[in-house]
Amino acid sequence: MIRWIRQQLGFDPPHQSDTRTIYIANKFPQHGHYTPQRFADNRIISSKYTIWNFVPKNLFEQFRRIANFYFLIIFLVQLMIDTPTSPITSGLPLFFVITVTAIKQGFEDWLRHKADNEVNGAPVFVVRSGSLVQTRSKNIRVGDIVRVAKDETFPADLVLLSSDRAEGTCHITTASLDGETNLKTHYAVPETAVSQSVSRLESLQAVVECQQPEADLYRFVGRITITQQGEEIVRALGPDNLLLRGARLKNTKEIFGVAVYTGMEAKMALNYKCKSQKRSAVEKSMNTFLIIYLGILLFEAILSTILKYAWQAEDKWNEPFYNRKTDQERNSSQILKFISDFLAFLVLYNFIIPISLYVTVELQKFLGSFFIVWDLDLYHEESDQKAQVNTSDLNEELGQVEYVFTDKTGTLTENEMQFRECSINGIKYQEINGKLVPEGMTEDSPDGSVPCLNREEELFLKAVSLCHTVQISYDQTDGPGDPFSHANGFSPQMEYYASSPDEKALVEATKRMGVTFMGSHGEIMEIKTFGKAEKYKLLHVLEFDADRRRMSVILQTPSGEKLLFTKGAESAILPYAKSGEIEKTRVHVDEFALKGLRTLVVACRHFSADEYREVDRRIHEARTALQQREERLVEVFNFIEKDLELLGATGVEDKLQDKVQETIEALRLAGIKVWVLTGDKHETAVSVSLSCGHFHRTMNILELVEQRSDNECAEQLRRLARRIKEDHVIQHGLVVDGASLSLALREHEKLFMDVCKNCAAVLCCRMAPLQKAKVVRLFKTSPEKPITLAIGDGANDVSMIQEAHVGIGIMGKEGRQAVRNSDYAIARFKFLSKLLLVHGHFYYVRIATLVQYFFYKNVCFITPQFLYQFFCLFSQQTLYDSVYLTLYNICFTSLPILVYSLFEQLVHPHVLQSKPALYRDISKNSQLSFKTFLYWTFLGFCHAFVFFFGSYILMGEDTTLMGNGQMFGNWTFGTLVFTVMVITVTLKLALETHFWTWMNHFVTWGSIAFYFIFSLFYGGIIWPFLHTQDMYFVFVQLLSSGSAWFAIIIIIITCLFPDVIKKVFYRHLHPTSTQKSQMYTNRVAIGDDFIALQPLSRAKNQLGKISLLRSTGASDAWTPCAVSRRGRTPVHGWAGWWSA
């Protein structure tokens, strides 16, 4: 029990060594003192809480927020000392906020528990005691032999032991792990592949040794030792032998595998990592404002305490005749009395800190994020994909982006490859009608004839059709069978699947040209060369990795010769080639790149018998090593992939996505700088940048490439800086390669930043994934602290996406890793325009107003309380009734600002997209600047002074305002101030509202009506559960006074009229771009749905106005609702409302 507790607390992890030893079927050694290793069970736990720790853990997390903790302290102070207000006034709002947040988080966690129980309770079959036993997924133990049938998901990470195929292979898809839908082939070692029955598996004597769990989905190092007839056979285990939890079995009837990683130690579970918490600029501003208001609160409390004691220095005020002190009060400590009074004033003014701000902001972000998901303009019909929101905490950050860092392949381009050209033995070829034709020549062979290929052409096509990891799927794949049966006249429809679109395009191209890859059967790969079948034995696969940038296969030809085929980037192949047309091929590769084609270079190597034996020995030693396996494999691969014979190169086209050029131009007009970060070669990247509008033809292209030393790099940077300074009139674009970037960031970071900031566009090519993240971090942490956005579609973009302030994943063809690790996901790059220019604009304006309005209305609320102390000898008498104190933020003023923050639109979406420059109006957190914050705070104090002194002037001279001569009292005065305040702050928000919906009207006027109805009921009935009822009949008396109504109207007008004058003055004399667009929009934006609701005569009249506007040449941009295909947006602004 103690060990379990220590393990749960993290003090006693289940495994200690660097490797784990797994006895298959849990057949532990019977001799010696063997102590089995302890492993995690197979339960998946994605939930955050349990029924036992929910309350303490949730409370701890919520009270880490400064506002919640502050109100908790205030509440405790009210309980401990005699304060002017009831503890309920602080406790009830705090309880409301804590409860709402706890219910939300508890419900979300309950859903996670429910999902976990479904997964953990799923039925599975395991081999135990010589038979197949059904059990639950959570009961699987490390070492159990598990049976998985076709189309089932793997319940744990399994090492494949056998399948229904004699060679021990199976096909799987990992769509739920990385989004790749292609079929992947996994292998069992030959010694276990024959164990296809439960009885043979039960008699299997084998031990698996492997690394401890790690999150990398594509890395697995292990070995299996099989004991057969007293002899131990050791085989290497790698990623191709491991079946990951969450993957699905395809085209295979059943498999058996041994569980090596279970539960939260499975690779899928280890990838459930929590991303670092990103905080928006608005949230940081909000916390700054909170600290300032905390300072105001402390100042008011200290000032009130000092003034109280200054006032009480006179005897007549210190101990008036009606309030004599007791002996205990006279003899008590002055310091304790001062502290007690200070705390009492702190409690009295504590509502200046808006506790409900946090819960309102959370609701606004959560509910507002649905508008992105529901936006049909962000829906991609072809792929049936809509926008996805992974975190709603950064909605407003979409409106503050200054730098966009984008991947190229799959993000700017379609990632749909089409073979275009190739170079073979120094001669360029094109594909014409499925035939390989040298450049400059036309197809001259008659249809149906077999083209004649020379040795170099045939060897090149064979290399391309054999050097890959492509899989084939046929229509009929159930059960074991000969995958080459199609060679005997039976030819079902086959389709190629590949993890790389380039490989698929190349294999399909060779098929059209007559060299067809027919599939793999165990170690045999079959191709057909113009109908003639050839079978090659696959000896070794040298897997692709990002450092080598190439992949190879070693084959045995039908004649018995050992042959290496390799393909990769030209920088990874050409330096290792010793024969072939190297220079001509290099020129052709550069020409392909200038056309924007993706290039691969193909080469081969022939092995003698002795050379191959040495190669085979080295590969076996490296693959079976448990320590430093990757390093040893890289060393062996480099030993093998040398002295190459260059065969040629391929050029594959990746088409640009739709409207990429328009999107980049819109971002540029919005003041957003776009950087392209790609792993492609220099020429290809520049060509694509020019074609997509990232670089203009008139732009001066500067280059920082092929720098080999720090000094050389620094000198080139200085030359570029001088050139930019001399040619400051024209725009500059900068091209940087990965090697030069590493040098620039090592010693000359500031100089590099200065050059980049003066360039209109920057292109970084030959970039490694971590270099992409490093560039983003460089700008993110620069002194200006610009808001960055990274967008990409592949696993190599994840680090960049996580590093940027806002990360966006493209739902492309390179898997779903980028989408899973992003904050937002969209189907196409063109949707980025609306996401930033429209949604980002709306979210920022809404939340900026929400935050400042909250502080404004709380200043209006508490300042009269502070002023009242000057008139009651700082006796800590409260101005408002405790119920009003409690419900002000919860009920009376909460809904209008929430609805405003969900629906407000300063300008119509169509206008925001057609005029990207409007984005500049809200850049650099302009609407939450210190100047704007001071304006709202000053306005709050001004309105509070008007509320208090307006009411005081009315009642100060003569309090007999009732028709029967009855006098107003203290509670009537406070209620008058409170009534004026509730109406004024609500109408102030109405003045700020430009976009009126029925919901805005309902909550605005409904909140005021609710206040009046509630006050009438609260003060008009004697409530038995209230021990005192100071407000009885107070509100009814107030409303029965004509003078009180006159005062309410005059004070409201006095507060809001200067506001209206200021708005009109600034709008007509110094309008912003946004205000100009509002005026144009208000003139012509009459929605179809609005017209449809009007009487027939009025609808005809309004439709006539639209026709007139169109006939006079009014742009569609200025009649957005009328020309909208949905016509779903109501009229903007007050003008539109009153014109109805």
Side-chain angles (χ1 to χ4, degrees):
M1 182 66 182
I2 294 174
R3 175 173 286 179
W4 180 85
I5 293 171
R6 287 177 56 82
Q7 185 176 317
Q8 296 302 309
L9 294 174
F11 299 130
D12 188 22
H15 44 74
Q16 302 289 347
S17 63
D18 293 332
T19 60
R20 54 171 54 189
T21 303
I22 300 151
Y23 290 85
I24 293 180
N26 290 309
K27 295 177 181 176
F28 303 117
Q30 299 301 315
H31 57 82
H33 298 283
Y34 174 73
T35 304
Q37 289 178 287
R38 290 178 293 106
F39 305 115
D41 60 29
N42 201 40
R43 287 180 302 159
I44 285 291
I45 303 172
S46 62
S47 55
K48 190 175 183 179
Y49 306 106
T50 67
I51 194 169
W52 308 110
N53 71 8
F54 174 73
V55 173
K57 192 172 182 179
N58 186 264
L59 288 177
F60 173 75
E61 290 177 351
Q62 292 207 55
F63 284 119
R64 289 170 65 183
R65 279 187 164 169
I66 185 170
N68 290 351
F69 184 72
Y70 161 77
F71 268 87
L72 176 64
I73 296 299
I74 294 294
F75 177 64
L76 294 176
V77 168
Q78 286 178 293
L79 289 176
M80 288 187 294
I81 68 171
D82 182 23
T83 56
T85 58
S86 166
I88 295 175
T89 58
S90 295
L92 191 60
L94 178 63
F95 177 77
F96 174 77
V97 169
I98 296 296
T99 304
V100 168
T101 308
I103 290 171
K104 171 179 170 285
Q105 294 177 352
F107 177 71
E108 290 173 350
D109 205 61
W110 176 76
L111 293 178
R112 287 191 284 266
H113 271 284
K114 190 177 177 183
D116 289 346
N117 291 336
E118 288 180 10
V119 172
N120 295 330
V124 294
F125 288 91
V126 297
V127 177
R128 286 181 185 163
S129 304
S131 61
L132 206 57
V133 178
Q134 182 174 342
T135 184
R136 293 181 182 274
S137 174
K138 64 182 180 182
N139 297 327
I140 294 176
R141 299 170 296 173
V142 170
D144 278 346
I145 299 175
V146 182
R147 172 191 174 262
V148 180
K150 181 183 176 182
D151 291 327
E152 290 181 354
T153 57
F154 301 113
D157 289 353
L158 311 174
V159 167
L160 180 61
L161 295 178
S162 65
S163 72
D164 63 313
R165 304 177 186 219
E167 69 276 12
T169 62
C170 70
H171 296 297
I172 70 168
T173 62
T174 57
S176 62
L177 298 174
D178 56 14
E180 295 177 5
T181 55
N182 57 292
L183 294 177
K184 297 182 175 69
T185 304
H186 285 246
Y187 307 90
V189 298
E191 287 75 17
T192 64
V194 296
S195 301
Q196 294 177 301
S197 65
V198 172
S199 58
R200 295 197 64 173
L201 286 167
E202 181 66 21
S203 62
L204 181 65
Q205 298 288 330
V207 179
V208 173
E209 296 172 89
C210 61
Q211 63 188 150
Q212 293 291 3
E214 63 171 35
D216 190 342
L217 293 175
Y218 309 105
R219 184 174 183 270
F220 177 67
V221 179
R223 66 185 174 198
I224 184 170
T225 305
I226 305 104
T227 304
Q228 289 183 347
Q229 299 173 351
E231 182 184 354
E232 289 188 350
I233 303 170
V234 180
R235 295 290 184 185
L237 296 175
D240 288 342
N241 307 110
L242 186 67
L243 306 172
L244 297 179
R245 176 172 190 149
R248 188 177 295 273
L249 185 64
K250 289 286 187 183
N251 293 358
T252 310
K253 186 177 179 182
E254 66 176 14
I255 65 98
F256 289 95
V258 59
V260 290
Y261 304 132
T262 52
M264 298 307 293
E265 292 182 342
K267 287 182 179 289
M268 181 182 74
L270 293 175
N271 276 274
Y272 291 157
K273 62 180 183 129
C274 295
K275 300 194 288 283
S276 58
Q277 186 66 32
K278 296 181 179 180
R279 294 173 62 217
S280 68
V282 169
E283 189 176 344
K284 294 171 186 173
S285 298
M286 194 166 74
N287 289 339
T288 303
F289 298 159
L290 205 63
I291 293 170
I292 292 172
Y293 269 66
L294 197 58
I296 294 174
L297 169 64
L298 292 173
F299 170 76
E300 289 184 349
I302 293 171
L303 180 63
S304 297
T305 309
I306 292 171
L307 289 175
K308 175 179 181 177
Y309 282 90
W311 210 298
Q312 290 179 353
E314 296 182 44
D315 290 337
K316 66 174 181 177
W317 299 123
N318 183 38
E319 196 172 346
F321 71 91
Y322 54 84
N323 190 17
R324 294 293 180 183
K325 292 182 180 178
T326 63
D327 291 337
Q328 184 181 354
E329 288 175 332
R330 291 193 187 96
N331 299 327
S332 60
S333 167
Q334 291 296 316
I335 296 175
L336 290 177
K337 283 173 63 180
F338 186 90
I339 293 173
S340 177
D341 284 326
F342 168 73
L343 291 175
F345 280 117
L346 206 62
V347 168
L348 194 62
Y349 304 147
N350 78 84
F351 282 95
I352 197 170
I353 305 295
I355 185 175
S356 55
L357 172 61
Y358 280 109
V359 75
T360 307
V361 166
E362 273 194 14
L363 280 172
Q364 189 270 344
K365 288 182 175 182
F366 174 70
L367 297 174
S369 63
F370 287 102
F371 291 116
I372 293 177
V373 179
W374 292 336
D375 190 344
L376 293 179
D377 290 334
L378 302 183
Y379 169 73
H380 190 243
E381 196 168 351
E382 293 174 21
S383 59
D384 190 29
Q385 291 171 327
K386 59 185 179 181
Q388 184 177 317
V389 178
N390 296 329
T391 174
S392 59
D393 292 339
L394 303 170
N395 292 345
E396 64 276 9
E397 207 80 332
L398 295 170
Q400 295 296 295
V401 174
E402 297 173 60
Y403 283 88
V404 167
F405 299 92
T406 175
D407 177 40
K408 180 182 75 68
T409 306
T411 304
L412 301 179
T413 61
E414 287 283 3
N415 206 12
E416 286 184 0
M417 310 302 175
Q418 193 69 36
F419 177 83
R420 291 299 179 210
E421 298 181 66
C422 66
S423 170
I424 304 175
N425 200 32
I427 301 172
K428 279 206 290 187
Y429 291 81
Q430 294 176 324
E431 181 188 3
I432 300 178
N433 295 330
K435 295 175 183 175
L436 208 56
V437 180
E439 188 179 49
M441 298 180 62
T442 58
E443 180 195 2
D444 51 8
S445 59
D447 290 341
S449 64
V450 177
C452 182
L453 299 180
N454 59 36
R455 175 191 170 276
E456 290 82 6
E457 293 170 346
E458 187 173 327
L459 186 59
F460 174 82
L461 292 179
K462 285 181 178 179
V464 173
S465 62
L466 288 168
C467 184
H468 54 71
T469 55
V470 173
Q471 301 296 326
I472 298 178
S473 175
Y474 296 95
D475 282 345
Q476 48 175 51
T477 52
D478 283 347
D482 182 7
F484 302 134
S485 59
H486 49 268
N488 304 318
F490 180 71
S491 182
Q493 185 68 33
M494 68 178 184
E495 185 177 355
Y496 293 122
Y497 289 91
S499 55
S500 164
D502 302 70
E503 284 193 337
K504 183 180 178 184
L506 291 174
V507 173
E508 287 174 342
T510 61
K511 178 184 176 183
R512 293 193 297 270
M513 296 169 196
V515 180
T516 306
F517 173 62
M518 303 305 294
S520 300
H521 181 70
E523 296 178 343
I524 303 300
M525 297 179 75
E526 183 188 11
I527 62 172
K528 271 189 176 182
T529 307
F530 303 110
K532 179 185 175 184
E534 296 180 22
K535 294 186 179 181
Y536 290 77
K537 184 178 181 181
L538 179 63
L539 302 173
H540 296 287
V541 177
L542 281 55
E543 296 85 358
F544 175 87
D545 67 62
D547 295 324
R548 286 172 39 248
R549 297 179 65 81
R550 58 182 180 267
M551 71 88 60
S552 307
V553 293
I554 301 177
L555 304 166
Q556 179 176 312
T557 65
S559 62
E561 182 187 8
K562 306 297 191 297
L563 184 63
L564 169 91
F565 285 134
T566 185
K567 70 177 180 192
E570 89 288 347
S571 59
I573 302 289
L574 294 181
Y576 302 96
K578 71 170 186 178
S579 61
E581 297 290 345
I582 297 174
E583 290 308 316
K584 287 184 179 179
T585 303
R586 194 190 305 274
V587 171
H588 290 165
V589 167
D590 290 341
E591 289 176 2
F592 294 164
L594 286 172
K595 295 177 183 178
L597 302 181
R598 292 166 61 89
T599 58
L600 284 173
V601 176
V602 183
C604 70
R605 178 183 176 185
H606 300 267
F607 293 111
S608 66
D610 291 338
E611 286 176 331
Y612 177 71
R613 276 194 294 272
E614 176 67 12
V615 165
D616 186 57
R617 183 185 65 79
R618 289 194 176 206
I619 290 177
H620 180 74
E621 288 178 356
R623 289 197 188 278
T624 54
L626 275 181
Q627 303 296 328
Q628 297 181 324
R629 180 183 292 185
E630 285 80 3
E631 293 81 355
R632 295 179 67 172
L633 281 173
V634 168
E635 184 182 336
V636 172
F637 290 172
N638 288 331
F639 168 77
I640 298 169
E641 295 166 330
K642 64 181 183 180
D643 301 331
L644 302 174
E645 176 189 342
L646 185 62
L647 298 179
T650 61
V652 176
E653 181 184 32
D654 189 3
K655 292 182 179 179
L656 280 177
Q657 287 188 16
D658 187 30
K659 294 186 178 179
V660 167
Q661 190 164 356
E662 293 90 331
T663 303
I664 291 177
E665 185 60 29
L667 296 178
R668 186 177 285 121
L669 290 172
I672 300 171
K673 288 191 174 183
V674 180
W675 284 44
V676 175
L677 312 180
T678 178
D680 270 356
K681 70 191 304 291
H682 174 203
E683 293 81 3
T684 305
V686 171
S687 174
V688 172
S689 279
L690 286 167
S691 62
C692 73
H694 179 238
F695 284 165
H696 288 303
R697 298 286 174 185
T698 57
M699 194 178 280
N700 184 21
I701 308 298
L702 309 174
E703 291 190 346
L704 182 68
V705 294
E706 298 180 1
Q707 305 300 306
R708 292 179 174 79
S709 68
D710 283 337
N711 293 334
E712 185 183 345
C713 181
E715 186 56 38
Q716 176 66 4
L717 281 169
R718 292 188 191 97
R719 281 197 294 269
L720 295 177
R722 285 195 297 270
R723 189 169 173 185
I724 291 171
K725 193 173 182 180
E726 292 165 2
D727 302 334
H728 64 275
V729 178
I730 61 174
Q731 285 189 328
H732 299 276
L734 178 65
V735 183
V736 190
D737 65 9
S740 304
L741 180 71
S742 297
L743 293 172
L745 296 183
R746 189 186 304 167
E747 297 286 343
H748 318 291
E749 192 174 285
K750 186 176 184 302
L751 187 56
F752 175 70
M753 287 280 289
D754 291 340
V755 170
C756 291
K757 286 176 181 176
N758 289 309
C759 292
V762 180
L763 167 67
C764 298
C765 55
R766 290 296 189 215
M767 296 280 284
L770 288 178
Q771 281 185 308
K772 292 183 177 183
K774 199 168 183 179
V775 169
V776 175
R777 191 184 310 119
L778 180 67
F779 274 81
K780 184 179 170 183
T781 57
S782 64
E784 295 83 6
K785 298 281 191 298
I787 302 300
T788 58
L789 179 147
I791 179 169
D793 73 318
N796 60 331
D797 302 314
V798 169
S799 55
M800 171 178 76
I801 286 170
Q802 290 185 329
E803 183 63 46
H805 290 95
V806 181
I808 296 183
I810 296 286
M811 302 170 190
K813 298 179 175 61
E814 289 192 22
R816 286 292 184 273
Q817 291 191 51
V819 171
R820 289 204 322 266
N821 289 279
S822 64
D823 303 305
Y824 302 89
I826 52 178
R828 288 293 182 269
F829 182 80
K830 66 180 180 180
F831 296 152
L832 184 63
S833 172
K834 184 168 188 186
L835 191 64
L836 298 186
L837 303 183
V838 178
H839 288 287
H841 192 285
F842 286 161
Y843 287 133
Y844 176 74
V845 169
R846 291 165 182 169
I847 204 164
T849 306
L850 183 152
V851 170
Q852 294 178 121
Y853 176 78
F854 250 94
F855 285 109
Y856 154 79
K857 73 186 181 75
N858 278 45
V859 168
C860 290
F861 182 37
I862 281 306
T863 304
Q865 180 74 73
F866 172 68
L867 296 174
Y868 185 60
Q869 297 308 302
F870 287 87
F871 295 85
C872 67
L873 295 181
F874 295 94
S875 62
Q876 298 154 10
Q877 168 65 38
T878 179
L879 178 63
Y880 314 120
D881 182 72
S882 59
V883 172
Y884 286 161
L885 281 170
T886 306
L887 298 183
Y888 176 75
N889 278 315
I890 295 178
C891 297
F892 298 146
T893 59
S894 58
L895 281 180
I897 185 59
L898 178 61
V899 172
Y900 171 94
S901 65
L902 290 175
F903 297 108
E904 174 65 353
Q905 295 180 14
L906 282 182
V907 187
H908 192 276
H910 189 78
V911 178
L912 288 174
Q913 275 193 283
S914 62
K915 300 189 75 175
L918 296 178
Y919 192 83
R920 296 172 185 255
D921 281 359
I922 61 167
S923 62
K924 298 187 183 299
N925 206 12
S926 60
Q927 296 203 11
L928 269 178
S929 64
F930 198 66
K931 179 182 175 183
T932 315
F933 166 70
L934 286 179
Y935 164 74
W936 277 91
T937 303
F938 176 74
L939 189 67
F941 279 115
C942 288
H943 285 184
F945 272 78
V946 175
F947 300 155
F948 183 81
F949 287 107
S951 302
Y952 179 76
I953 290 169
L954 174 72
M955 298 178 61
E957 297 299 326
D958 184 10
T959 57
T960 56
L961 298 178
M962 300 297 295
N964 58 6
Q966 189 176 344
M967 296 174 65
F968 275 2
N970 171 65
W971 295 114
T972 312
F973 175 73
T975 304
L976 176 62
V977 173
F978 192 84
T979 303
V980 170
M981 178 174 55
V982 168
I983 298 173
T984 303
V985 297
T986 305
L987 292 181
K988 168 61 182 170
L989 185 63
L991 282 176
E992 295 297 320
T993 304
H994 296 84
F995 185 75
W996 284 89
T997 65
W998 68 266
M999 200 171 290
N1000 290 84
H1001 285 290
F1002 178 76
V1003 297
T1004 299
W1005 316 119
S1007 291
I1008 296 173
F1010 173 74
Y1011 165 69
F1012 277 87
I1013 294 169
F1014 173 83
S1015 298
L1016 287 170
F1017 272 90
Y1018 172 59
I1021 300 173
I1022 297 177
W1023 300 98
F1025 52 83
L1026 295 176
H1027 64 277
T1028 61
Q1029 198 162 344
D1030 298 323
M1031 294 295 294
Y1032 180 68
F1033 227 64
V1034 168
F1035 195 70
V1036 176
Q1037 280 192 332
L1038 179 69
L1039 295 188
S1040 66
S1041 169
S1043 302
W1045 280 105
F1046 177 75
I1048 291 171
I1049 294 169
I1050 290 297
I1051 293 171
I1052 291 171
I1053 292 174
T1054 305
C1055 288
L1056 298 181
F1057 187 69
D1059 235 18
V1060 175
I1061 295 297
K1062 172 188 167 291
K1063 283 180 177 292
V1064 173
F1065 178 80
Y1066 273 96
R1067 183 176 286 268
H1068 285 84
L1069 296 184
H1070 303 288
T1072 63
S1073 302
T1074 303
Q1075 288 169 340
K1076 290 176 183 176
S1077 300
Q1078 286 173 348
M1079 287 188 275
Y1080 281 114
T1081 307
N1082 285 336
R1083 292 177 188 173
V1084 298
I1086 304 173
D1088 295 342
D1089 53 349
F1090 184 73
I1091 294 172
L1093 294 172
Q1094 307 305 309
L1096 183 60
S1097 58
R1098 185 180 294 180
K1100 286 181 178 178
N1101 182 34
Q1102 290 172 343
L1103 286 169
K1105 289 178 184 177
I1106 292 176
S1107 301
L1108 179 63
L1109 283 167
R1110 289 176 177 169
S1111 65
T1112 54
S1115 166
D1116 281 354
W1118 303 116
T1119 56
C1121 290
V1123 299
S1124 168
R1125 67 174 181 271
R1126 299 183 189 90
R1128 62 185 185 275
T1129 310
V1131 176
H1132 277 69
W1134 286 95
W1137 168 249
W1138 292 117
S1139 67

